[in-house]
Amino acid sequence: MPASRKIHLRPTPFCYVLAGLLFAMWLSAINWENNLGLLVLAMVGSVAVVSAVHARRNLADLEITAGKVFPVFAGQYASLIIQTRNRKGHDSYDLCFDSPPMPQVKIPAHLAQLPAGSHRSCELIVDAHSRGRHEVPGVRVSTLYPLGLFRAWFWQPLTLNYLVYPQPAGSQIQPEHFAKMGWYSSSATLRPGEEFYELRPYLPGESLHHVAWKLVAKGRPWLVKEFATDGLEHPIFDFSHLSGEDVEQRLSQLALWIQESHQDDNLYGLRLPVIYYPPSSGEEHYHRCLTALAIYETEEKRKARKRRHHSRSSKKR
Amino acid sequence: MKISGPFHKPAESISRGLVYWPIASLAYASVPFIFHLSWRGSLFICLLILWRVYLEFRRLNLPSSWITAPLVIPFLAILLAEHHTIFGEEAGTLFLIGLLSIRLLELHTVRDYMITCITCYFLVVVSLLFAQGIIMSVYLFTAILLVTVSLIHLHMGSNLRASFRPALRLGMKIVVPALPLALFAFVFFPRFQGKLTLEYHSIKIGVQDSLEAGNIAQMKKDNRLAFRVEFANDQCPVSGELYWRCFVLNTTDGWRWWNGSKNRQMTGFKERPGLKYTQNITLTPQVQRWMVALDYPITIPTGALMCEGQILKNNLYGASKRQYTVVSQPEQRPQDLSPETQRRCLMLPRTLSPLVKRLVGRWKTKQKPPEALATEALRFFRDHQFIYTLDPEPVEGQDALVDFLFRQRAGFCEHYATAFAILMRTAGVPARIVTGYMGGEYNPYGRFYAIRQDHAHAWCEIWIQNKGWVRMDPTAVLAVKNPTPKALLHAAQQGMSVEGQASSLPSPRPSLWRQPAWWTKLSRAPRLWWELAEIQWNRWVVGYDRHSQEKLFKHLGMTQFRWLAVLAAALGGTAVSGALAAAWLKRQGKKADHLRRSYETFCSNLAAAGVKRKKWEGPCDFTRRAALAFPLQAEQIRRIGLQYTRLCYGTSPTEKALVKELTARIKKLGIPKAPVN
């Protein structure tokens, strides 16, 4: 926390109203040479000025730290916890926290009272509309206390990161059901309980049992048929196996499957083009998978890649 | 990065129970205006307020605008019936109060709350247009406090009972420091010349050129400034001689008095040896077209005329003159008595009662000279228990004079002046009435006299052969008999005779209930003190105007570039006080800074020795770990940790001495460069 930060002061519209009224009164007091009127006028003006000092004092010596943030799904609200400690000898009132660089801040946090020496936490409610890792650069702490004629505020840089998982949505059926319905079982060699998974290149020294001989006969290279047997009979949610073009839709579908499986306490794995998590279960696995979905090639990244690709191809031409 | 943006609007609706505060503020700030409103209007406003309180108390829904908006109509009707307008300071303010009270019914948002409170501040200032006494000022001070506390309540939270004390304390913390600031601004903020062409017909100041019962009584209730006078060389008459003449009235129909003769212009007079007073007179912008001068003016200011009766008249049409210098000599009595004037000054009302004639006839038996006759008349007033009061029973019609002389025997200057003039005329002595002002309040800053509307006065002049027109003030003889404490105080302070001030002071109205003697005795001293306080208040606070300010600045040596100097002083003062406040705040911050820096030294020392504080480690965890690493210094380290925690996170504000002690302890702590394992 910087030792002294700049506390800004700004009159509220009510202050301007009061100033206008006082100006009118000033004219009339001068007109009637009403000296006592001028004194009381000065009194009201001074009250306003002194209140500005109190507004600044209200914000002095506040220590603001970021609290833990729990990830949410897109479309939900994330709550960012802000811890405030009052390090002065008197209470602070009416503290409002928002973050103007973040238009998605839905509900600013508010602390009605912060007694001297104590600390409180409050929540900044953020509209999490898109997946990914988001960053709040800081919070603006403002107060209207004590009279509402001036608003004092300062900017507190903070590293408040929050993660937004893709919104769980989609209508496709989980892959474990695929096998049961036999969509993939074009090969008759599949025994009950075995699920044909995929073909991979043959590695020397491997058993020849699962080599796809039919393909070899057709002149293809040696490939091995992989089956999900005993330990492998749990679904692996694969990004590349999902139909549909839209990346976001596919990620949403994966998120839905992961969520459902997690709720049913099933084991599941996740395969993305860049990452593979073998089937497992539990909170940690759940969040690891969803995090992978959240940070998978965000919109900006994709655009940047496309641009790069485009420029390269144009160069070739 | 754009860190400023629109601020979030606070919750629109205010919490329950909070609404009592703006209601209380409005009611409190409106009390001074109740006296200007009829009982109907007051009742209307009271009912509105009670209605709103009831709604809040029973937690009922607020009425919609369809119900509240038509409420303006009856209030407007009440207002129009009394004031015939809704503009002007009085009617306008009352209208504003009515609107606010009606608006109260719908008050439930923060905005309404704020606007109501801010308008209450406005009302507080406005009420000073109507009264400027000490009690009023104290009342307004408390009103400002109440409105401030109301505003604090809005921003302090909703827990009403818990927050009352801190809100009040804070209110005091805001209002009390504001007082010296306000005084500073009051004394040094530049005043500008008045008259901004805001004018309402009802606010004219000045005496009128005719006299009718009640004219002056009305003026007596008005304490606005009429004009102010500076005397050259500080030569001024004793206050008892401060007769400011405005009009001479020589014609009567028995009821009304006016100037019947044509304005005969006069030239100035030559200065004669003797007392001479040079006056610098400034009329208040609101006065009508007349000019005033001390008895008796001998020079004619430019742009003015001198008319019969040695009075000054404004010659300029349109632009009336407000500031002029005139020389007066008390010995230069008016000497003119044309036959026409003589005829007028002996004219009697057609229906003069034989009782009056008989009374005067008794005095005239020995064919006395005019002076002796006047003395007789004055003695008559003095010996027959005549009383001075501003609220006499109205006497009207033919028998008014008889009624006053023989039955009622109570009245104020205009009664006495008219009665005296008619008595003199009956006796065959030419007599006329002069209206103007008497006395004045000395202003010690500005060294000038302020003459207010309540100094208005009427007196007589009688013609005495070889002497001219001699002033006779029948009101003055009354006061000798029963001087009021205020008059005595005035007299003591201004070094004047008691008679002088008496005319502007009402003695208590005779009533059936008499105050018991012990009460009079007991209350005398406080009353005297109170009246002294009032006089001082008027002098030092109400009387501190532009002229006083200019004089003060001159006294302080701010003659040249005055405005610039004042502005520079004001800005400089603000800058200096701001810098001081900033320095103070910074020092507060530095104190905390010292603590942090010491702790950082401590951490880096330990880091050099091999125990590095982890980012997430608080002072407790860190010192515990460090203590384990350095068993020899364990006790010291543990103590530093404890002390730092206490200073940093304890509820008591950080104390300088303790911080120093900790710093010293950290310095003393000798830690080897490599950790001892």
Side-chain angles (χ1 to χ4, degrees), chain B residues 233-254:
Chain B
N233 312 324
D234 281 334
Q235 267 190 341
C236 59
V238 292
S239 297
E241 288 294 312
L242 285 172
Y243 281 86
W244 311 96
R245 61 203 285 127
C246 245
F247 294 105
V248 168
L249 316 173
N250 54 18
T251 315
T252 181
D253 60 359

Side-chain angles (χ1 to χ4, degrees), chain A residues 38-206:
Chain A
L38 288 175
L39 177 61
V40 174
L41 207 68
M43 183 72 206
V44 175
S46 304
V47 164
V49 170
V50 174
S51 86
V53 175
H54 280 270
R56 287 189 64 130
R57 271 186 42 155
N58 194 36
L59 291 188
D61 278 334
L62 292 181
E63 188 182 292
I64 289 155
T65 45
K68 178 135 180 78
V69 184
F70 293 98
V72 291
F73 289 101
Q76 292 180 327
Y77 293 125
S79 84
L80 313 183
I81 309 272
I82 297 164
Q83 285 252 16
T84 311
R85 176 182 292 280
N86 183 359
R87 297 174 52 153
K88 14 180 220 294
H90 54 89
D91 301 1
S92 281
Y93 297 91
D94 187 46
L95 302 174
C96 186
F97 303 82
D98 63 353
S99 188
M102 300 293 294
Q104 56 268 55
V105 171
K106 195 82 180 169
I107 303 169
H110 187 259
L111 276 181
Q113 189 181 6
L114 187 62
S118 72
H119 64 97
R120 296 265 160 91
S121 55
C122 55
E123 295 177 324
L124 207 60
I125 305 295
V126 173
D127 194 357
H129 52 74
S130 64
R131 72 178 174 91
R133 198 184 286 282
H134 296 268
E135 194 186 348
V136 175
V139 288
R140 182 175 62 176
V141 186
S142 66
T143 184
L144 280 174
Y145 176 89
L147 299 190
L149 297 176
F150 288 93
R151 185 189 287 276
W153 61 275
F154 67 86
W155 174 256
Q156 172 70 53
L158 278 183
T159 38
L160 263 172
N161 293 324
Y162 64 97
L163 198 61
V164 180
Y165 300 150
Q167 186 171 22
S171 51
Q172 298 188 39
I173 299 159
Q174 285 197 15
E176 63 171 340
H177 305 298
F178 296 166
K180 280 172 190 160
M181 286 195 244
W183 286 4
Y184 273 80
S185 54
S186 54
S187 155
T189 54
L190 216 62
R191 286 185 301 253
E194 275 189 338
E195 286 170 22
F196 172 73
Y197 188 61
E198 66 173 0
L199 292 169
R200 61 170 175 77
Y202 173 77
L203 296 174
E206 261 187 318

Side-chain angles (χ1 to χ4, degrees), chain A residues 3 30 50 74 105 134 151 172 244-245 270 303-304 308 311:
Chain A
I30 279 183
V50 174
V105 171
H134 296 268
R151 185 189 287 276
Q172 298 188 39
E245 255 308 289
L270 175 69
K303 267 182 192 162
R308 226 179 305 135
S311 62

Side-chain angles (χ1 to χ4, degrees), chain B residues 40 71-84 86 95:
Chain B
R40 265 183 252 116
L71 285 174
V72 178
I73 297 167
F75 187 74
L76 212 57
I78 292 172
L79 213 58
L80 284 176
E82 284 160 25
H83 298 268
H84 311 291
I86 55 163
F95 185 53

Side-chain angles (χ1 to χ4, degrees), chain B residues 48-329:
Chain B
L48 286 177
I49 288 177
L50 286 178
W51 185 5
R52 183 65 180 92
V53 170
Y54 174 77
L55 289 178
E56 189 67 21
F57 189 71
R58 300 298 303 266
R59 311 199 160 201
L60 299 173
N61 285 335
L62 301 182
S64 73
S65 307
W66 291 107
I67 298 172
T68 56
L71 285 174
V72 178
I73 297 167
F75 187 74
L76 212 57
I78 292 172
L79 213 58
L80 284 176
E82 284 160 25
H83 298 268
H84 311 291
T85 175
I86 55 163
F87 301 106
E89 52 179 357
E90 193 169 306
T93 314
L94 295 176
F95 185 53
L96 180 67
I97 293 176
L99 284 187
L100 280 175
S101 317
I102 292 168
R103 191 87 186 105
L104 268 188
L105 291 175
E106 291 179 77
L107 191 151
H108 71 105
T109 62
V110 169
R111 221 184 66 163
D112 296 340
Y113 191 116
M114 288 292 294
I115 291 293
T116 306
C117 286
I118 284 170
T119 320
C120 285
Y121 276 136
F122 178 69
L123 285 180
V124 166
V125 185
V126 170
S127 54
L128 279 171
L129 290 180
F130 301 99
Q132 306 198 352
I134 299 178
I135 293 184
M136 183 68 172
S137 308
V138 172
Y139 182 84
L140 293 183
F141 186 82
T142 55
I144 289 178
L145 183 64
L146 177 65
V147 179
T148 308
V149 169
S150 304
L151 282 176
I152 291 170
H153 260 291
L154 178 62
H155 297 103
M156 212 170 202
S158 47
N159 193 349
L160 210 65
R161 243 166 244 141
S163 66
F164 175 67
R165 259 155 183 262
L168 186 65
R169 209 176 308 132
L170 183 78
M172 292 302 277
K173 271 189 195 166
I174 291 178
V175 170
V176 172
L179 201 58
L181 203 64
L183 279 177
F184 182 83
F186 176 65
V187 173
F188 288 104
F189 194 82
R191 308 284 177 90
F192 294 97
Q193 189 119 27
K195 195 65 185 169
L196 300 159
T197 66
L198 298 167
E199 203 160 351
Y200 307 120
H201 53 87
S202 62
I203 305 204
K204 283 281 189 194
I205 285 180
V207 287
Q208 284 163 14
D209 56 359
S210 65
L211 191 66
E212 235 171 299
N215 270 2
I216 288 182
Q218 207 148 41
M219 290 165 67
K220 291 271 186 207
K221 288 167 188 161
D222 182 355
N223 70 344
R224 279 177 300 159
L225 189 72
F227 60 96
R228 70 172 79 77
V229 185
E230 289 164 53
F231 285 98
N233 312 324
D234 281 334
Q235 267 190 341
C236 59
V238 292
S239 297
E241 288 294 312
L242 285 172
Y243 281 86
W244 311 96
R245 61 203 285 127
C246 245
F247 294 105
V248 168
L249 316 173
N250 54 18
T251 315
T252 181
D253 60 359
W255 178 241
R256 210 170 82 90
W257 287 76
W258 69 95
N259 181 22
S261 48
K262 273 188 198 145
N263 276 342
R264 211 155 42 77
Q265 251 178 269
M266 295 163 72
T267 50
F269 295 87
K270 262 194 195 154
E271 198 184 313
R272 280 200 219 140
L275 286 169
K276 185 187 104 175
Y277 304 118
T278 310
Q279 311 134 61
N280 223 323
I281 297 179
T282 312
L283 301 176
T284 322
Q286 285 81 28
V287 296
Q288 284 158 320
R289 290 186 57 250
W290 48 256
M291 288 173 91
V292 74
L294 198 64
D295 273 357
Y296 303 93
I298 56 167
T299 61
I300 305 173
T302 47
L305 301 172
M306 192 176 280
C307 299
E308 191 186 330
Q310 228 162 318
I311 59 166
L312 297 175
K313 278 230 165 96
N314 212 320
N315 191 23
L316 296 167
Y317 288 93
S320 41
K321 202 156 171 57
R322 310 226 164 272
Q323 229 171 352
Y324 54 91
T325 308
V326 63
V327 179
S328 295
Q329 283 200 303

